[in-house]
Amino acid sequence: QAGIAEAAAAAAPLIRAGSDEVCLMENATVATMTIFNRWMWSFVEGRAKQGEAILILSVVYKACEFALRATCGRAGAEIVIADLPFPNTSKDGVLEVVERTLKKYRVRFAFLDHISSQP
């Protein structure tokens, strides 16, 4: 445990976070499911309200989308998709689509992944 805490403390400044805000996980799948389950319980227990949404990108890794729908979707979360142009040649194009989606929906959480094998 001490080694993990030391590693988290070393990583924290690199991502501009406090060491108490960093959690090292076994792998990306465990991390993703931990996040989705926390969000799911937010909807189940009422901390997140009906009508609030979870934002994903149209280039989301499909296994993550399926897991999100299986957890949070079943708990009543609306899943909204920011439909990114592909191929995209500018960060402004991405930001414009995400901003437009954020204005259209009441987004509570956002899952923004970038897996190189997508779309």
Side-chain angles (χ1 to χ4, degrees):
Q1 291 288 9
I4 292 173
E6 290 172 13
L14 299 173
I15 59 172
R16 296 184 181 130
S19 59
D20 61 332
E21 298 174 299
V22 176
C23 179
L24 300 180
M25 306 296 283
E26 294 91 332
N27 57 52
T29 302
V30 171
T32 299
M33 290 308 299
T34 299
I35 291 166
F36 291 171
N37 279 297
R38 183 175 178 139
W39 292 351
M40 176 198 66
W41 282 108
S42 290
F43 282 94
V44 169
E45 294 173 346
R47 292 186 307 277
K49 308 292 184 230
Q50 292 296 339
E52 291 182 322
I54 299 172
L55 171 72
I56 60 175
L57 304 177
S58 57
V59 294
V60 67
Y61 188 65
K62 288 300 178 187
C64 293
E65 180 181 352
F66 296 150
L68 181 63
R69 291 186 185 283
T71 53
C72 299
R74 286 186 183 154
E78 180 180 8
I79 312 246
V80 298
I81 300 172
D83 192 17
L84 298 180
F86 186 85
N88 182 48
T89 58
S90 76
K91 69 179 179 182
D92 290 336
V94 172
L95 293 174
E96 180 182 315
V97 170
V98 171
E99 188 173 284
R100 186 177 26 205
T101 306
L102 289 171
K103 288 179 180 177
K104 186 175 180 182
Y105 298 95
R106 289 180 36 215
V107 174
R108 172 80 178 215
F109 303 113
F111 182 75
L112 308 174
D113 65 338
H114 53 288
I115 298 175
S116 61
S117 64
Q118 289 301 106

